[in-house]
Amino acid sequence: MVYLSSAIKVLFTAALLSETIAHPGHDVTAEVAQRNAALKNTKRDLTHCRDTVTKRDMQSKQQKRRQAAIETARAKRGLSQKRRFHTLRTRNLTSVTDTSHFSNLTVSPSTPGVEEIIFSNTSCILAAEGEVGPFWVEGEYVRSNITETQPGIPVTIDAQFINVNTCEPIPELMWDLWHCNATGVYGGVIGSGNGDSDDLGNLNDTFLRGLQPTDEDGVAQFESIFPGHYAGRATHMHVLAHINGTTFENGTYMGGQIPYIGQLFFDQDLISEVNTFSPYVENTIDIVANVDDRVVASETETGADPIFNYVLLGDTVDQGLFVWIEMGVDLTADYVDGATAAAELTSDGGVEVTTTTTTGGNSTNGTAPSGAPSGTAVMGKRSVFSLW
Ligand SMILES: *[C@@H]1O[C@H](CO)[C@@H](O)[C@H](O)[C@H]1NC(C)=O
Ligand SMILES: *[C@@H]1O[C@H](CO)[C@@H](O)[C@H](O)[C@H]1NC(C)=O
Ligand SMILES: *[C@@H]1O[C@H](CO)[C@@H](O)[C@H](O)[C@H]1NC(C)=O
Ligand SMILES: *[C@@H]1O[C@H](CO)[C@@H](O)[C@H](O)[C@H]1NC(C)=O
Ligand SMILES: *[C@@H]1O[C@H](CO)[C@@H](O)[C@H](O)[C@H]1NC(C)=O
Ligand SMILES: *[C@@H]1O[C@H](CO)[C@@H](O)[C@H](O)[C@H]1NC(C)=O
Ligand SMILES: *[C@@H]1O[C@H](CO)[C@@H](O)[C@H](O)[C@H]1NC(C)=O
Ligand SMILES: *[C@@H]1O[C@H](CO)[C@@H](O)[C@H](O)[C@H]1NC(C)=O
Ligand SMILES: *[C@@H]1O[C@H](CO)[C@@H](O)[C@H](O)[C@H]1NC(C)=O
Ligand SMILES: CC(=O)N[C@H]1CO[C@H](CO)[C@@H](O)[C@@H]1O
């Protein structure tokens, strides 16, 4: 189980962390070394895919698809339709956090040259690989609506997964998504810093967690609520991608390769606006801005943009949002040893994972795992790893 230090706002180095944080049975040093080694070789963005993607008309197809999905989301909620698109230009922490991801570009799929307008400067739109964090629960349900009874602003979350080596969409990828509720608590895990740590019943909770397979365009969607925030972190959602795992008869999924782990974020002004509505407004925990968040910094280090694009479904934020992002995945990578679950959902309910696997010691010297990606892009050194 994960116990968060009271010094939660301190940034720990990997070495420091493994020595000082009470985290029984779990030494993250090996994970950190392995992950750093693997990430060093991973292609970091989709710039090299630009020509391929443009030629294949993928982007305009995706824009049309997204527009249809937005229309569906509006129709479901009885809201009127409007047309809005977006373009992106991102490169570093400042440019990412200074860029509005609000989509109010007034073009439609039939606008002449729409592909050029929409795509020409969107070649760097994926989220970089990030950290799994301490609250991943393995064995959750395959389902698109993960809301359950959690109150909050409804959000339709849409992502496309692109193979960074072939620039093709990845079908049959299993997208694992989890995030905290409007007041900053994760279901399914117990830990200080996560709501009432004496509430053992939370282990059985499955709210705001689930998996969805991608379709032939590498796309999957979830229905959820806008996340709240908790101490020490900017508002975010967690993503983990599986391939070749097993969907069981009871509707849960386990196993397989994990070629991608990441965290996704939201524009600061959107978060501020959301925080004016109940129940978000009742959360008194200090807000960490994107520019001050360690994971935002590390994910933007090499030019990726891990912030969701969005449109309002209605006229105001509280009527709902449609958010989307594209993620570049290296299918030859496997972060299974770095993906440490806090708990596992079983037929006996949620069970804490007290010991975790490492690769038997060989990863501690920083050697990339077998099957580690080869590539030419280099990312900055990641000396910091986090428990939350
Ligand atoms: C970040 O990107 C912006 C816009 O492209 C640029 O003006 C700025 O110099 C960059 N900052 C750093 C630290 O590279
Ligand atoms: C688009 O949104 C930005 C940021 O909210 C705003 O500054 C700009 O005026 C808007 N443009 C249009 C055409 O609505
Ligand atoms: C998702 O599930 C919740 C709770 O059952 C429900 O209120 C909500 O309408 C559902 N969302 C969509 C888009 O169907
Ligand atoms: C978030 O989850 C916790 C734990 O279940 C619960 O106590 C809290 O009321 C939830 N927040 C909201 C806004 O419902
Ligand atoms: C969790 O669910 C299991 C199986 O449904 C049940 O046996 C167990 O008592 C529950 N645990 C808690 C703490 O509610
Ligand atoms: C594993 O998944 C990938 C991506 O979906 C697929 O192309 C491949 O055929 C699968 N391999 C096996 C052995 O099932
Ligand atoms: C679902 O089935 C798998 C395989 O039998 C099992 O390991 C797992 O505990 C089950 N999960 C739930 C929530 O029932
Ligand atoms: C670790 O490395 C040694 C020598 O390089 C090798 O014999 C051994 O099988 C490796 N162990 C694991 C778990 O990979
Ligand atoms: C690191 O591990 C690899 C794989 O087992 C091994 O080949 C290499 O010799 C090790 N390097 C050091 C410095 O221990
Ligand atoms: C449509 C558009 O904005 N295209 C621009 C994309 O970026 C290149 C280089 O930065 C510009 O030259 C294009 O005008």
Side-chain angles (χ1 to χ4, degrees):
M1 187 51 241
V2 174
Y3 296 93
L4 299 186
S5 159
S6 58
I8 193 161
K9 290 182 184 169
V10 178
L11 302 185
F12 299 101
T13 66
L16 220 183
L17 182 98
S18 63
E19 307 305 342
T20 58
I21 306 301
H23 197 211
H26 179 201
D27 178 355
V28 299
T29 313
E31 290 174 21
V32 172
Q34 185 180 51
R35 234 184 122 56
N36 282 347
L39 287 173
K40 205 160 47 198
N41 295 320
T42 305
K43 288 198 180 74
R44 303 301 301 172
D45 65 40
L46 293 175
T47 313
H48 63 285
C49 290
R50 186 164 151 176
D51 288 349
T52 320
V53 172
T54 306
K55 267 192 211 112
R56 290 198 311 104
D57 206 24
M58 194 155 87
Q59 198 69 11
S60 79
K61 186 179 172 201
Q62 282 309 311
Q63 289 294 350
K64 285 176 193 164
R65 182 196 63 73
R66 246 176 238 130
Q67 182 59 33
I70 292 166
E71 280 168 14
T72 305
R74 286 191 172 123
K76 254 190 219 167
R77 296 176 172 87
L79 299 165
S80 64
Q81 303 291 343
K82 35 188 168 182
R83 288 187 171 260
R84 282 175 174 181
F85 282 108
H86 184 57
T87 186
L88 275 180
R89 243 170 255 248
T90 60
R91 280 293 173 252
N92 56 38
L93 177 63
T94 313
S95 60
V96 167
T97 54
D98 281 355
T99 300
S100 171
H101 294 70
F102 176 57
S103 171
N104 63 358
L105 199 63
T106 51
V107 296
S108 81
S110 55
T111 302
V114 66
E115 188 181 318
E116 168 66 11
I117 295 168
I118 291 167
F119 186 64
S120 58
N121 289 307
T122 61
S123 56
C124 188
I125 46 184
L126 82 165
E129 291 90 347
E131 305 167 356
V132 73
F135 297 132
W136 179 42
V137 176
E138 216 170 354
E140 289 289 345
Y141 288 100
V142 177
R143 55 178 183 170
S144 60
N145 191 338
I146 59 176
T147 310
E148 297 190 3
T149 56
Q150 292 299 314
I153 292 174
V155 179
T156 301
I157 308 150
D158 178 293
Q160 184 183 35
F161 292 84
I162 310 274
N163 183 326
V164 293
N165 295 315
T166 64
C167 302
E168 299 288 333
I170 309 170
E172 292 174 60
L173 174 149
M174 192 59 91
W175 175 15
D176 198 336
L177 179 78
W178 68 101
H179 63 86
C180 68
N181 73 9
T183 45
V185 183
Y186 288 89
V189 291
I190 312 286
S192 58
N194 188 51
D196 177 2
S197 55
D198 293 329
D199 173 18
L200 298 183
N202 192 16
L203 257 188
N204 279 356
D205 287 337
T206 56
F207 62 77
L208 310 180
R209 294 178 181 276
L211 301 107
Q212 278 293 280
T214 57
D215 65 13
E216 60 189 11
D217 293 320
V219 171
Q221 272 182 6
F222 286 96
E223 302 288 351
S224 190
I225 57 158
F226 196 88
H229 69 277
Y230 51 95
R233 291 299 318 279
T235 302
H236 64 278
M237 289 183 170
H238 290 268
V239 173
L240 190 151
H242 308 256
I243 51 172
N244 305 129
T246 309
T247 304
F248 299 109
E249 274 175 21
N250 58 27
T252 68
Y253 180 96
M254 286 268 284
Q257 183 190 332
I258 299 176
Y260 188 89
I261 297 171
Q263 296 185 24
L264 304 172
F265 300 86
F266 301 88
D267 276 355
Q268 203 62 51
D269 59 351
L270 174 61
I271 293 168
S272 301
E273 208 170 336
V274 166
N275 284 342
T276 64
F277 292 95
S278 181
Y280 303 90
V281 71
E282 282 118 52
N283 186 348
T284 55
I285 296 169
D286 285 349
I287 289 167
V288 173
N290 288 330
V291 288
D292 297 326
D293 186 85
R294 189 181 34 73
V295 181
V296 174
S298 85
E299 288 193 354
T300 52
E301 218 166 45
T302 50
D305 184 347
I307 299 187
F308 278 113
N309 308 294
Y310 70 101
V311 294
L312 305 188
L313 292 176
D315 294 323
T316 53
V317 158
D318 59 317
Q319 288 180 295
L321 298 160
F322 183 95
V323 305
W324 73 93
I325 199 154
E326 298 184 7
M327 286 176 264
V329 176
D330 185 337
L331 288 178
T332 66
D334 192 358
Y335 300 121
V336 74
D337 292 318
T340 304
E344 185 183 325
L345 184 64
T346 73
S347 48
D348 297 326
V351 175
E352 288 181 304
V353 175
T354 48
T355 54
T356 61
T357 54
T358 64
T359 51
N362 282 354
S363 66
T364 53
N365 72 3
T367 305
S370 67
S374 59
T376 50
V378 175
M379 61 164 291
K381 185 164 171 285
R382 290 179 187 218
S383 56
V384 177
F385 199 81
S386 155
L387 275 182
W388 65 88

